[in-house]
Amino acid sequence: MTRTKPMIIAHRGLSGYYPENTLLAFQEALKLPIDAVEFDVRRTKDGMLVVIHDETVDRTTNGSGYVGSFTLDEINKLDAGSWKGEEFAETHIPSLDETLEALDRQSVLVVEIKEPGTELQIIEAVKRYDTLEWINLVSFHANAIASAKKIEPHISCALIGGKSIGASDNTFFDFVHATLGCDANSVMVHYSTLTPKRVHYCHKRFLSVGTWTVDDKNLAERLILMGVDAIASNYPDVMLEAMAA
Ligand code: G3P
Ligand code: CA
């Protein structure tokens, strides 16, 4: 099975140009003809879900400390844009609710569970905004995906694989079986782990193949020829050029 037009996922929004995981980065991504927006979810001290990649706020805000040591109100007040450019100083860390409301079923949303144990709360939010059919829930944590599928069997899910699963065909195939074991319908793997044989191995088992994080046009062209089904990129505009080529 070879697809020539994979889905293009804006990784953390249009994060090559705008502060990652912010409403601004998501809204700018949606101005492109992309298929999906990816973002990361963590929980605050007062149990609210927020959209941020790292376990601390240090890299992407003017604050310091673990996400879990802030209340939603406190974390909302941080400047989440200046690190990327002074013009983004007004940007803040959005809550999951704010994000679901702003994106309002405009594209598929690839929602990464960074902290196992938050899956029930994430699914409840998704249902509150009536966006279940727009969500692809992903995680490095197989237990979080297995639990999400038990909570809501109709949710689309992918298990994420890092570089280490690419050490050999056998480590990759073990990962594929772990994916099947938690009832996910896709793998989302680091591009360095992929070969045509491994893509085919997934497709033979009716698993679609997503890959991250691809910012180089030549690399994207090679992955497209391998038959990947989705590409996550900080520069989805460059990926769209690669597809046109
Ligand atoms: O979708 C997979 C990718 O987002 C995982 O890596 O570190 O960017 O969350 P990371
Ligand atoms: Ca992510």
Side-chain angles (χ1 to χ4, degrees), residues 130-145:
D130 196 19
T131 50
L132 189 60
E133 71 203 76
W134 293 86
I135 301 295
N136 195 349
L137 210 50
V138 304
S139 186
F140 281 99
H141 304 283
N143 58 340
I145 294 299

Side-chain angles (χ1 to χ4, degrees), residues 22-23 32 37 44 61 63 76 83 90 102 107 109-110 113 118 144 146 150 163-164 189 195-196 203 207 215 219 225:
T22 62
L23 296 186
L32 298 173
V37 170
T44 61
T61 77
N76 258 329
W83 69 277
E90 298 298 310
S107 82
L109 303 181
V110 178
I113 306 169
T118 54
K150 285 199 182 90
K163 292 180 192 170
S164 63
V189 294
T195 64
H203 284 165
L207 285 174
D215 291 339
L219 171 60
L225 289 174

Side-chain angles (χ1 to χ4, degrees), residues 11-12 38 40 53 112 114 140 160 188 212:
H11 184 248
R12 310 182 197 171
E38 188 264 2
D40 306 286
H53 179 271
E112 182 173 345
K114 282 294 187 197
F140 281 99
I160 306 177
M188 175 58 91
W212 57 277

